[in-house]
Amino acid sequence: MEFDSIPQRHQDQLLARHLHAFLGEIDAPAMELLRQHLQWVEIAGGEVLMTQGEPGDSMYLSISGRLRAYVRDEDGTQRMVREMARGHSIGEMSLYTDEPRSATVVAIRDSVLVRLAKSEFRRLLASSAQVSIALTRQIIHRMQAPQQRSEMEPPVTIGLLPITAGVAPFAFAQSLAAQLARIGRVRVLDSAAIDELLDEPGAANLDDSSGETNRRIALLLDEIEAAHEFVLLVADDSPTPWTRRCSRQSDELLLLADASAEPMLHPIEEQCLMRRPARSEAAEILVLLHAADTRSPRGTRHWLARRLVADHIHIRPELERDMARLARIQSRTGVGLVLAGGGARGLAHLGIYRALQERGIEIDCVGGTSIGSVMAAYVATDQPLPEVMKNARHAFGNNPTGVFNWVPMLSLIKGRRLRKILDGAVHDLLGFDADVEDLWKSCYCIATNYSQAQEQQFRSGPLVKAMLASISIPGALPPVIHEGDLLCDGGTFNNFPVDVMRGMRGIGKVIGVDLNARKSRRIEHEDVPGSWAVLRDRLRPAAKRRYWLPSLAAYLMNVTILYSVSRQKQAKKLTDLYFNPPLQRVGMLAWKRFDAIVAQGHAHGVKVLDETPPEVIDVLVGKRAVRRVVGSQPVRSEIGNSGTAQTDSKAVRTEPVEVPGGDSTRASTSSA
């Protein structure tokens, strides 16, 4: 596919902006000398820029468009590792080393880059010390900088494609733009706006044979994209030339569907999405639209079964908080909540969630392990907190693990009672047997696959089964059979799954609630006493006990998560806001202390939030948005109390922007 040339003046302006962002301030003669050694490269969507393993003979700087890097593992599996937007350098290490390319880079859509060959680089070093120092400094900075938590750059150009009737895509785009304006400059464009800007009625929907008009549209879109952080391209309601352009020109596609419609493939999907060049596919996100009074989504599996999408999200367009959630996810500033396992201590999660709600902190994605997966599901239902508390108290306040097996062949505790409790809790709260993908907010549950000796993630499938698998402590509760494998408690591998949240689409900030309350206690006696001695000792008052040994149940439950506990420090570093409620005196089976444990969690949550810097809370609640500024120098900012730095894109700087009263404010949003 041929790529339309962009006028030199516009290219030069973009190049100057990105070079200054990449290298910093160098004088005009040195910059001009550098530009003389650069070669323009135009690459169409689906074309390969470089291939893993081939000799590295040049570096590139992305001027416009979007590219994706793939790495082929030793077993031959190819996986996507990152996406690169405008202003990103690619392959710069090849200028200094003779190492082969470490990844294959493909253009997702039509892109423009500049190339600096190794031979030109060497001549440049010999003729300009200033450029040499600037380039070397940049390479050293890249090598020394901490690895970014997420390699998924926020999309700049987002296509909105209606795939059912009755979704009003333009009105939806305007509502989304109002929320995105908290973060950066936004422009909304449909075919009518293009016609008006070109002063040529019908221009947007001329076929590909009209070369001059296509060139003018390409230039117009590129200029608008260069001046905005977000461009929303609103497709027509049929597979017109403009709709096809939207599907080709976008970094990411939102497929807008009325959730009450039949989940059939739309002509836009069949004619515009399924016929794109290989490996040029922008990520497709299914956005299911619901009425404001919908209690819970249903039947999501039927929509997902008919289309391969990167993600899905449930939205009630009439609710501003739902549109704000979509905007945060699309801008990669979403807030994720991770809840650790810990038996009855996990009831503290409800108290901390209440403290977060009291501060106005919205959660966009939630995940957990063991009891944390159950509490995560409660959060993801997005039901009023009083209803959640009532449901949880009924389910877990009366010892759900109190029925023991007389013949413990697989577990000490029978599992039927817990299954019945979870079934009832889900049905009472949502009104039907929901799947994980039916929850309002993205959710995951972590289990352990005993058969394959690996971690298992549940992001879809029956919700009760996912929670049961995650909570089935080996030896204490019976395992769950799933697709021929035995599954048990996820705490064996990942009791505090912050790393999983860091890989979720759209998440920029992570709040973690860890329940590890283990403190090493020195055992003063040399040998373990006999069973009768331990029994007699436990009948004594606490002050007179001699043997401070764990109970059998506590011993079995804790030993299964020792590996996960060893990863606690690493997981903590990945959080922006960390909670670890003091629950040392709370047993893992202390279900009857429901209200007291919730209260302890709430008190701890309030304390941590009170001690958190106000500017961090402002970011989390949306009073202080993080605006992305095109073409500026990067800055590092520390967020939360974990002391972990996060580095932004080289071509994008983040700076706090006050949002008056927390209300949405529109900046440069337009339908034209």
Side-chain angles (χ1 to χ4, degrees):
M1 153 179 164
E2 293 186 0
F3 186 74
D4 293 325
S5 296
I6 300 174
Q8 189 65 43
R9 178 184 58 81
H10 180 57
Q11 284 187 334
D12 288 343
Q13 290 174 349
L14 291 177
L15 175 59
R17 176 188 302 173
H18 292 308
L19 283 178
H20 280 293
F22 181 61
L23 297 175
E25 293 300 326
I26 61 176
D27 60 37
M31 182 66 75
E32 181 58 31
L33 181 63
L34 171 60
R35 293 171 68 165
Q36 292 174 7
H37 288 77
L38 299 176
Q39 175 188 359
W40 287 99
V41 176
E42 298 174 346
I43 181 171
E47 289 188 14
V48 177
L49 179 68
M50 61 181 65
T51 302
Q52 183 177 349
E54 70 180 11
D57 60 353
S58 58
M59 71 158 283
Y60 296 87
L61 182 65
S62 174
I63 304 303
S64 65
R66 195 174 186 89
L67 302 102
R68 186 177 291 162
Y70 297 89
V71 171
R72 188 175 298 279
D73 297 330
E74 293 180 358
D75 60 0
T77 303
Q78 185 168 269
R79 57 187 175 87
M80 191 273 289
V81 293
R82 65 181 303 196
E83 288 187 357
M84 293 152 287
R86 57 191 180 186
H88 269 253
S89 60
I90 305 168
E92 62 267 27
M93 290 303 297
S94 67
L95 300 181
Y96 291 88
T97 71
D98 294 321
E99 295 291 326
R101 298 296 193 189
S102 60
T104 296
V105 178
V106 182
I108 298 176
R109 63 181 179 92
D110 297 348
S111 303
V112 177
L113 309 95
V114 289
R115 178 178 183 266
L116 178 62
K118 183 180 292 188
S119 58
E120 294 295 314
F121 171 67
R122 289 172 177 169
R123 282 195 286 270
L124 190 60
L125 294 185
S127 57
S128 175
Q130 187 173 155
V131 173
S132 174
I133 292 172
L135 282 170
T136 303
R137 181 175 60 240
Q138 178 65 20
I139 300 298
I140 294 173
H141 173 77
R142 286 293 179 92
M143 295 176 65
Q144 292 180 339
Q147 185 176 3
Q148 290 188 6
R149 291 170 173 173
S150 173
E151 297 295 344
M152 298 300 293
E153 283 293 313
V156 178
T157 301
I158 303 171
L160 282 71
L161 279 60
I163 60 170
T164 68
V167 296
F170 188 80
F172 186 90
Q174 291 283 30
S175 180
L176 177 58
Q179 298 297 331
L180 287 172
R182 296 167 173 259
I183 299 151
R185 292 163 292 183
V186 189
R187 191 71 179 268
V188 177
L189 296 168
D190 62 359
S191 57
I194 295 297
D195 293 348
E196 182 178 348
L197 289 169
L198 294 179
D199 195 22
E200 184 179 341
N205 276 309
L206 291 177
D207 59 33
D208 294 338
S209 63
S210 179
E212 177 60 24
T213 299
N214 277 323
R215 186 196 67 81
R216 293 177 64 202
I217 295 175
L219 174 59
L220 175 65
L221 291 177
D222 199 74
E223 289 179 336
I224 291 173
E225 180 180 324
H228 295 81
E229 279 71 49
F230 302 101
V231 178
L232 304 184
L233 301 181
V234 184
D236 298 328
D237 58 6
S238 61
T240 63
W242 168 249
T243 299
R244 285 194 291 271
R245 184 182 293 276
C246 291
S247 68
R248 294 195 312 266
Q249 188 74 18
S250 298
D251 298 329
E252 201 159 88
L253 297 171
L254 301 184
L255 310 185
L256 307 182
D258 180 352
S260 64
E262 289 296 321
M264 305 299 293
L265 287 177
H266 191 274
I268 288 178
E269 297 175 275
E270 296 175 330
Q271 298 183 37
C272 298
L273 303 183
M274 294 182 177
R275 300 180 182 180
R276 289 178 293 171
R279 294 200 293 189
S280 68
E281 301 92 346
E284 298 171 20
I285 312 303
L286 176 63
V287 183
L288 291 168
L289 308 181
H290 305 263
D293 59 353
T294 303
R295 183 178 180 185
S296 176
R298 291 188 182 216
T300 310
R301 69 170 80 168
H302 302 300
W303 288 91
L304 298 177
R306 293 180 178 272
R307 43 188 58 83
L308 293 175
V309 294
D311 198 3
H312 76 281
I313 185 168
H314 295 286
I315 295 293
R316 292 156 288 193
E318 296 177 24
L319 299 187
E320 184 179 354
R321 57 190 293 263
D322 274 23
M323 295 303 295
R325 171 161 53 93
L326 178 60
R328 288 191 297 269
I329 290 173
Q330 288 304 114
S331 61
R332 307 303 190 250
T333 60
V335 178
L337 176 64
V338 182
L339 306 177
R345 293 201 293 262
L347 300 174
H349 291 316
L350 295 173
I352 292 175
Y353 177 52
R354 175 187 161 196
L356 293 172
Q357 281 205 331
E358 290 170 347
R359 291 297 182 96
I361 298 174
E362 290 279 357
I363 303 301
D364 301 310
C365 179
V366 61
T369 298
S370 196
I371 189 64
S373 72
V374 179
M375 299 301 144
Y378 273 126
V379 174
T381 63
D382 200 34
Q383 300 300 310
L385 186 58
E387 292 185 24
V388 169
M389 294 298 296
K390 179 181 177 181
N391 184 285
R393 184 180 291 105
H394 177 74
F396 294 96
N398 192 25
N399 199 0
T401 57
V403 180
F404 290 87
N405 272 319
W406 290 105
V407 184
M409 300 300 292
L410 278 176
S411 63
L412 297 174
I413 301 170
K414 291 182 178 180
R416 292 180 181 176
R417 181 176 183 180
L418 183 58
R419 177 185 288 274
K420 183 178 179 180
I421 286 173
L422 292 177
D423 275 328
V426 170
H427 196 273
D428 289 346
L429 194 61
L430 300 181
F432 70 109
D433 299 326
D435 292 330
V436 178
E437 59 266 41
D438 288 325
L439 299 171
W440 282 115
K441 300 180 179 181
S442 297
C443 181
Y444 62 85
C445 303
I446 301 298
T448 292
N449 190 314
Y450 171 86
S451 301
Q452 299 185 31
Q454 65 184 21
E455 180 180 318
Q456 176 108 18
Q457 298 179 18
F458 280 95
R459 300 187 189 182
S460 61
L463 177 59
V464 170
K465 189 171 190 177
M467 292 189 295
L468 273 176
S470 183
I471 206 172
S472 295
I473 301 170
L477 287 162
V480 171
I481 299 176
H482 175 70
E483 298 180 350
D485 291 339
L486 280 182
L487 306 184
C488 58
D489 192 295
T492 302
F493 275 93
N494 200 350
N495 196 53
F496 188 33
V498 181
D499 58 329
V500 178
M501 182 62 74
R502 280 294 174 195
M504 296 294 285
R505 189 184 75 89
I507 298 304
K509 308 290 186 297
V510 174
I511 301 171
V513 185
D514 191 4
L515 299 179
N516 176 34
R518 295 180 70 255
K519 288 188 176 180
S520 59
R521 179 191 292 270
R522 182 174 177 80
I523 306 299
E524 300 297 338
H525 35 280
E526 295 185 2
D527 297 312
V528 176
S531 298
W532 287 108
V534 173
L535 177 60
R536 287 194 300 270
D537 188 63
R538 289 186 179 165
L539 295 176
R540 298 188 181 105
K544 296 183 178 181
R545 288 182 186 175
R546 297 173 54 195
Y547 308 120
W548 290 101
L549 296 170
S551 66
L552 175 60
Y555 177 71
L556 290 175
M557 290 180 180
N558 280 300
V559 77
T560 63
I561 64 170
L562 289 181
Y563 171 67
S564 290
V565 170
S566 71
R567 300 168 60 186
Q568 182 187 21
K569 289 184 179 179
Q570 177 186 1
K572 181 179 177 180
K573 289 179 180 179
L574 293 175
T575 64
D576 297 299
L577 189 57
Y578 179 79
F579 296 88
N580 187 205
L583 302 169
Q584 289 86 349
R585 297 182 179 274
V586 178
M588 295 185 71
L589 299 178
W591 303 105
K592 293 186 177 180
R593 296 178 58 187
F594 181 97
D595 289 307
I597 298 172
V598 172
Q600 282 182 265
H602 179 258
H604 175 74
V606 170
K607 181 176 182 294
V608 170
L609 290 171
D610 284 343
E611 295 172 351
T612 300
E615 59 270 19
V616 175
I617 301 296
D618 287 348
V619 169
L620 291 172
V621 302
K623 290 183 178 178
R624 183 184 293 260
V626 179
R627 186 181 299 279
R628 299 169 56 237
V629 182
V630 179
S632 300
Q633 285 282 32
V635 297
R636 283 186 203 145
S637 59
E638 297 214 342
I639 300 175
N641 56 5
S642 64
T644 306
Q646 183 167 357
T647 307
D648 296 292
S649 164
K650 288 297 167 187
V652 175
R653 170 167 62 92
T654 59
E655 59 181 19
V657 177
E658 297 291 346
V659 180
D663 297 329
S664 62
T665 55
R666 299 177 76 166
S668 300
T669 60
S670 173
S671 62

